[in-house]
Amino acid sequence: MTNHWVDIKNADVILIMGGNAAEAHPCGFKWVTEAKEHNKAHFMVVDPRFNRSASVADFYAPIRSGSDIVFLGGVINYLLTNDKIHHEYVRNYTDFTFIVREDFAFDEGIFSGYNPEKRTYDKASWDYELGEDGYVKTDPTLQHPRCVYQWLKRHYASYTPEKVESACGTPKDKFLHVCEKLASTAQAGRAATILYALGWTQHSIGAQILRTGAMVQLLLGNIGVAGGGMNALRGHSNIQGLTDLGLLSNALPGYLTLANQGEQDYQKYIEARTQKPLRANQMSYWQNYPKFHVSLMKALWGPAATKDNNWAYDYLPKLDKQYDMLQIFELMNEGKVNGYIAQGFNPLAALSNKNRTRAGLAKLKFLVIMDPLATETSEFWKNYGEYNDIDTASVQTEVFRLPTTCFAEEDGAVVSSSRVLQWHWKASEPPGEAKTDVAIMSALHLRMKAAYQKDGGKFPDPIVNLWWPYAQPAHPSSEELAKEYNGRALADLTDADGKVLRPAGQQLSGFGELRDDGTTMSGCWIYTGCWTEAGNQMGRRDNSDPTGIGNTLNWAWAWPANRRVLYNRASADLEGKPFNPNRMLVKWNGKAWGGADVPDYGVAIKPETGTGPFIMNPEGVARFFARKGMNEGPFPTHYEAFDNPLGYNPMYPKNDKAVSNPAARVFPAIWETFGKASEFPHVGTTYRLTEHFHYWTKHALLNSIIQPEQFVEIGEALAKEIGITTGSMVKVSSKRGYIKAAAVVTKRIKPMQIEGKTVHHVGIPIHWGFKGLTKPGFLANTLTPFVGDGNSNTPEFKTFLVKVEKV
Ligand SMILES: Nc1nc2c(c(=O)[nH]1)N[C@H]1C(S)=C(S)[C@@H](COP(=O)(O)OP(=O)(O)OC[C@H]3O[C@@H](n4cnc5c(=O)[nH]c(N)nc54)[C@H](O)[C@@H]3O)O[C@H]1N2
Ligand SMILES: Nc1nc2c(c(=O)[nH]1)N[C@H]1C(S)=C(S)[C@@H](COP(=O)(O)OP(=O)(O)OC[C@H]3O[C@@H](n4cnc5c(=O)[nH]c(N)nc54)[C@H](O)[C@@H]3O)O[C@H]1N2
Ligand SMILES: [Mo]
């Protein structure tokens, strides 16, 4: 979230689109209720289903799954053509005036630089035009045909209300209602928030859907203000912590990035990430990359990371490809993976195309499951009849189960969607032989280290030199690890005159203290400040809120720097005067910043210097034109899901190269696993229910009683067509396999008219499987396609083709 849970109460307009917070985030959802009650907020839901959030909303509009960029592009077009934008904000705080390179082009769904054979883009032309001073050229009059504002107008001109109606199935009047309500926040003093989750991310164009939402918010001046923002409602209780700590395979802690294979040279690696400002006076905060990186390397390898060995740069792996889940299981299927550790992960249930996942697992030599429960994955080799019809004798994989504890059986911090790190204390001892994940991983590390010390190997250094300075090497404590993430001084830190600012050994109080000369260490720079000399800031429990805005700066601790609303500098005008004095976040008093939040930059930087609020970007402003960042283009563009009901792109019907995301990675063997509407005429989508948490609460008795049996949701019209009623068993098939489940016939899913064709959605909750206390069921992911987003590779779980039949 750019903002935070409590801040939702400050919104005047709330849009939940691509999420179902009442169902999946029922505790946080109370802030929507607060906004409605105390702020008269107008609450809207846009979803293929009339879901639990819609049932308590002021307004609901249906949308065809997978068509959100048409809808949001339509909102952008509406805001631009009706001039409902926050002029002062977009002019000063975005790239509206920037001029784009002359060779940048877009034609019928494809941008300049496309290589159809490789399905990738050469992104050279996707850039601003730079002057001789190295700074971006701008046109403050906004007239230049190549300025970002003019490009934006052209790019979304075809995203009309009529097109939204025919491509999304959203009636025009309902679409315009959403536009008008959002537009009412284009003025200072009103704010809209957008809350989203998987209904936006789990598509082959997921990351671009989020960008389109963010662009709407920028046009309205809703980023960085109280009650605004782009708010990702995250999943597992600590999934925010997982990404913060760099547990994605291409990441390092604190959103630093691993090198790719071509980056063997340390200086080049650092230079590529230490971005120089693209305009005068900008902070371009990633200029501090070397400080964060060297401090991380000191945390990992301690004394073995020295200036002479480039801070142990050679110890870090260099990526030959992006090792996301789809890639790993593809390699498994190719027989190229020997062993796999599934730690708190049930891939057989959670990953798309279950039969393919299972085939991959069966090719491993060994599989390790670290989990408190016996999961579908740990028993993938066992025959459970139709639910898991495997020939056990054909499986050679050796499976080890290592029972772990659950969160309540250890101390630690959990990071919420609000970026708040909140400490919790152990509530009970683990049962039986269960060990914490830290104890298991430590034991594994110590044994590997001993083996490498004894036998040597090709390159034992990264393992034998890993710094392990814990009181009990077999079980580092949560406190020790948290202090390490925060970071400390390894030598006396002095100023230019030699005065000691921070003696060696002390905890650091903020990432501003980090250095690139090996005198500081920090395991995750964005967490610096969470455990200072003043103690554990994550354990703080003072909920006082002097301004009433809900920031509670003394409750736990938020990254970065305890800031509760990101980019809060953008809530004030160039002089530092809050756009909305009633919901002030920060304010410049002529000498210093003050207010209800931690300001984006220190008191030394005055607004007069022109420093922009988007300090992580080298241009200091937010981008409508995503320079070279995204893989499928700098402006979000609609593409159909890989399994799609039309067979063409309704926005670019003439171009058969632009039907689905032209830059999404599709493994060669996967093309034939996509379905066609002639064979699979219905649109399937998968989702959650409040009563279950994925695949593990079916092991708990009470949850199993309240949601005992697998079902699929089918609209009344489709039910009539195939001759079923509630309770009938239906078979739902896709090109990848089939499931059977009880039908729930509902008014909450209605047929849609898409480009003159009737499209039915089929709703498939994900929670069942063949292990646990519920009635055994099929894994929903038997049906889903093995393809992901063009940037993150998040699987396309939300839109695929199925056929529903009466059993
Ligand atoms: N009780 C419970 N709570 C949970 C979880 C759980 O398993 N159980 N899981 C947690 C996790 S890990 C996560 S990631 C979050 C997920 O939270 P959510 O994303 O809110 O959950 P989902 O139910 O997967 O999907 C949300 C909505 O997306 C809609 N949708 C599908 N396709 C589209 C589309 O193309 N466009 C639009 N606009 N909407 C679409 C679906 O109809 C559904 O209503 O929930 C978390 N909370
Ligand atoms: N079709 C479809 N598929 C989906 C989704 C969808 O919407 N549709 N959603 C996707 C999403 S967003 C998610 S997050 C995934 C979820 O997929 P998973 O994360 O694989 O699902 P969980 O059941 O939450 O599995 C977590 C496992 O962690 C174990 N566990 C709990 N606490 C601990 C602990 O402290 N240590 C260890 N080692 N294990 C622990 C649990 O017992 C459980 O077996 O599913 C994805 N798959
Ligand atoms: Mo999730």
Side-chain angles (χ1 to χ4, degrees):
M1 294 172 94
T2 56
N3 293 39
H4 58 94
W5 283 108
V6 182
D7 179 67
I8 296 169
K9 74 170 183 168
N10 296 315
D12 300 291
V13 174
I14 298 166
L15 174 64
I16 297 190
M17 185 166 172
N20 183 7
E23 183 106 47
H25 303 86
C27 298
F29 183 77
K30 76 175 177 198
W31 298 107
V32 174
T33 313
E34 295 270 333
K36 276 180 63 160
E37 198 153 309
H38 301 296
N39 219 15
K40 295 200 171 51
H42 185 74
F43 168 34
M44 308 184 284
V45 169
V46 181
D47 199 286
R49 305 179 298 130
F50 185 84
N51 60 19
R52 268 180 171 156
S53 302
S55 73
V56 286
D58 298 302
F59 185 81
Y60 165 74
I63 186 171
R64 173 172 65 103
S65 184
S67 68
D68 293 61
I69 291 183
V70 182
F71 190 106
L72 295 165
V75 177
I76 292 176
N77 188 17
Y78 173 94
L79 297 176
L80 291 173
T81 38
N82 293 286
D83 199 27
K84 295 283 187 189
I85 59 177
H86 192 317
H87 287 275
E88 198 176 342
Y89 187 103
V90 288
R91 222 170 250 274
N92 296 318
Y93 299 155
T94 78
D95 61 1
F96 244 42
T97 60
F98 291 22
I99 293 175
V100 173
R101 265 170 65 145
E102 198 163 8
D103 52 352
F104 173 70
F106 178 76
D107 183 30
E108 280 294 311
I110 299 285
F111 291 93
S112 42
Y114 190 56
N115 179 332
E117 279 72 48
K118 290 192 180 153
R119 293 180 51 78
T120 55
Y121 278 100
D122 170 353
K123 301 179 186 172
S125 66
W126 303 1
D127 207 350
Y128 306 127
E129 199 165 278
L130 300 185
E132 270 163 21
D133 52 5
Y135 292 144
V136 184
K137 288 192 187 164
T138 62
D139 174 19
T141 70
L142 298 175
Q143 296 306 309
H144 194 294
R146 282 189 281 116
C147 78
V148 170
Y149 166 66
Q150 296 291 349
W151 254 111
L152 205 60
K153 277 209 304 197
R154 281 197 299 276
H155 193 78
Y156 294 105
S158 57
Y159 290 62
T160 59
E162 292 71 29
K163 203 71 215 182
V164 170
E165 177 160 313
S166 79
C168 306
T170 313
K172 188 173 153 184
D173 59 327
K174 296 204 167 177
F175 166 70
L176 288 174
H177 176 97
V178 176
C179 291
E180 282 156 21
K181 290 295 174 185
L182 286 172
S184 77
T185 68
Q187 49 181 296
R190 278 177 66 78
T193 180
I194 294 185
L195 311 179
Y196 70 92
L198 308 179
W200 274 4
T201 57
Q202 292 177 336
H203 294 280
S204 49
I205 45 166
Q208 293 281 19
I209 303 179
L210 317 191
R211 279 210 78 237
T212 330
M215 284 159 68
V216 168
Q217 287 294 63
L218 283 174
L219 287 173
L220 296 168
N222 279 334
I223 300 283
V225 307
M230 273 300 284
N231 294 306
L233 310 185
R234 306 217 49 184
H236 281 105
S237 64
N238 202 17
I239 195 69
Q240 181 67 50
L242 180 142
T243 36
D244 295 348
L245 290 174
L247 291 178
L248 296 175
S249 57
N250 56 347
L252 287 169
Y255 304 94
L256 307 183
T257 49
L258 271 177
N260 61 45
Q261 217 170 33
E263 295 181 306
Q264 302 293 335
D265 184 293
Y266 174 65
Q267 288 312 330
K268 284 197 185 129
Y269 164 83
I270 288 291
E271 270 163 33
R273 287 153 180 83
T274 311
Q275 300 195 2
K276 301 271 168 307
L278 279 171
R279 283 196 317 155
N281 297 322
Q282 299 309 317
M283 270 189 142
S284 187
Y285 208 75
W286 283 121
Q287 288 189 99
N288 295 300
Y289 196 97
K291 298 175 189 167
F292 310 149
H293 184 79
V294 173
S295 299
L296 168 67
M297 300 302 272
K298 291 301 287 182
L300 289 172
W301 283 290
T306 63
K307 191 170 190 324
D308 291 339
N309 72 356
N310 290 326
W311 314 107
Y313 181 64
D314 290 347
Y315 292 7
L316 286 177
K318 312 288 180 296
L319 297 170
D320 62 338
K321 49 175 83 73
Q322 191 175 327
Y323 286 93
D324 52 90
M325 268 312 118
L326 294 173
Q327 179 67 70
I328 299 280
F329 277 81
E330 172 63 19
L331 289 171
M332 255 184 230
N333 272 283
E334 291 170 16
K336 291 182 181 156
V337 183
N338 288 329
Y340 186 69
I341 303 179
Q343 180 184 7
F345 181 36
N346 187 355
L348 192 71
L351 192 61
S352 42
N353 196 345
K354 170 228 170 190
N355 289 331
R356 200 176 159 79
T357 306
R358 196 177 66 190
L361 293 171
K363 286 190 178 148
L364 292 170
K365 292 201 177 94
F366 68 93
L367 170 67
V368 180
I369 307 290
M370 290 172 61
D371 204 292
L373 300 168
T375 64
E376 277 78 9
T377 304
S378 70
E379 304 211 350
F380 81 93
W381 47 274
K382 232 176 171 171
N383 190 298
Y384 282 86
E386 225 179 343
Y387 306 119
N388 197 43
D389 53 350
I390 195 168
D391 171 16
T392 300
S394 71
V395 181
Q396 299 301 316
T397 315
E398 191 170 358
V399 181
F400 302 88
R401 277 184 55 207
L402 305 178
T404 68
T405 54
C406 262
F407 69 96
E409 292 154 0
E410 56 183 327
D411 295 337
V414 164
V415 190
S416 72
S417 305
S418 306
R419 294 167 285 101
V420 169
L421 285 72
Q422 189 161 284
W423 196 260
H424 65 84
W425 290 269
K426 180 171 172 171
S428 92
E429 289 303 320
E433 296 181 329
K435 285 193 165 47
T436 65
D437 290 85
V438 172
I440 295 172
M441 294 313 270
S442 300
L444 208 54
H445 165 65
L446 293 174
R447 286 192 203 191
M448 277 172 65
K449 188 180 229 167
Y452 275 108
Q453 272 161 343
K454 187 166 149 281
D455 304 332
K458 259 194 189 158
F459 188 37
D461 309 35
I463 290 175
V464 298
N465 289 338
L466 197 73
W467 204 27
W468 208 257
Y470 311 107
Q472 294 178 50
H475 198 164
S477 69
S478 303
E479 287 81 358
E480 285 172 308
L481 295 170
K483 285 180 172 172
E484 179 179 325
Y485 287 131
N486 181 87
R488 64 174 183 274
L490 296 172
D492 288 351
L493 304 182
T494 55
D495 65 11
D497 303 327
K499 190 177 136 225
V500 176
L501 301 171
R502 170 85 57 202
Q506 275 198 1
Q507 290 293 106
L508 304 175
S509 63
F511 45 72
E513 287 186 273
L514 295 171
R515 301 198 171 184
D516 61 6
D517 59 2
T519 56
T520 58
M521 67 86 125
S522 161
C524 184
W525 71 276
I526 56 174
Y527 286 178
T528 309
C530 73
W531 197 310
T532 64
E533 283 299 307
N536 181 356
Q537 304 302 298
M538 302 170 281
R540 298 182 306 159
R541 291 294 185 271
D542 173 358
N543 67 354
S544 53
D545 178 24
T547 65
I549 205 154
N551 277 354
T552 56
L553 295 178
N554 297 314
W555 183 279
W557 186 86
W559 73 261
N562 203 28
R563 185 169 303 130
R564 305 294 162 134
V565 176
L566 294 178
Y567 319 115
N568 58 36
R569 169 67 184 87
S571 67
D573 67 12
L574 281 182
E575 274 65 55
K577 200 160 89 325
F579 285 124
N580 182 355
N582 297 326
R583 292 191 207 124
M584 186 256 296
L585 287 175
V586 294
K587 181 179 173 180
W588 179 253
N589 70 6
K591 292 194 190 75
W593 288 98
D597 202 358
V598 177
D600 282 319
Y601 24 89
V603 287
I605 296 160
K606 300 184 179 115
E608 304 85 88
T609 63
T611 303
F614 294 87
I615 57 175
M616 303 311 287
N617 283 348
E619 52 274 58
V621 295
R623 290 176 192 158
F624 286 101
F625 181 75
R627 288 183 76 214
K628 300 181 177 185
M630 310 293 284
N631 287 336
E632 54 283 275
F635 292 119
T637 302
H638 172 71
Y639 301 106
E640 289 288 307
F642 277 85
D643 258 26
N644 67 76
L646 294 175
Y648 63 92
N649 186 335
M651 298 309 300
Y652 312 100
K654 282 181 263 168
N655 190 352
D656 62 5
K657 297 271 178 304
V659 180
S660 300
N661 185 344
R665 183 197 59 203
V666 184
F667 300 113
I670 299 304
W671 285 106
E672 63 189 46
T673 69
F674 295 132
K676 289 219 158 42
S678 49
E679 204 181 340
F680 302 100
H682 312 127
V683 174
T685 191
T686 55
Y687 48 87
R688 316 161 146 62
L689 307 171
T690 303
E691 294 82 357
H692 276 302
F693 197 87
H694 301 148
Y695 318 105
W696 43 316
T697 54
K698 59 182 160 58
H699 293 259
L701 183 61
L702 289 180
N703 303 69
S704 304
I705 291 169
I706 47 176
Q707 282 290 5
E709 184 184 348
Q710 187 166 30
F711 63 90
V712 295
E713 296 190 82
I714 293 169
E716 286 175 341
L718 177 59
K720 203 168 158 204
E721 213 174 272
I722 56 177
I724 55 149
T725 53
T726 289
S728 307
M729 283 303 279
V730 289
K731 181 176 175 187
V732 183
S733 336
S734 79
K735 186 83 181 184
R736 280 87 38 191
Y738 70 87
I739 67 169
K740 289 176 188 164
V744 168
V745 178
T746 175
K747 292 185 192 310
R748 290 176 279 107
I749 299 178
K750 294 257 193 308
M752 291 177 187
Q753 289 306 312
I754 307 297
E755 301 261 295
K757 181 177 168 181
T758 303
V759 171
H760 297 282
H761 283 78
V762 176
I764 306 162
I766 59 173
H767 301 294
W768 283 273
F770 52 84
K771 292 297 295 176
L773 302 173
T774 47
K775 225 174 136 182
F778 289 81
L779 290 168
N781 275 321
T782 310
L783 301 172
T784 48
F786 199 80
V787 69
D789 171 66
N791 300 278
S792 67
N793 291 302
T794 298
E796 190 149 65
F797 290 127
K798 287 287 183 270
T799 314
F800 49 93
L801 293 177
V802 294
K803 177 181 187 177
V804 190
E805 298 160 283
K806 191 174 174 177
V807 176

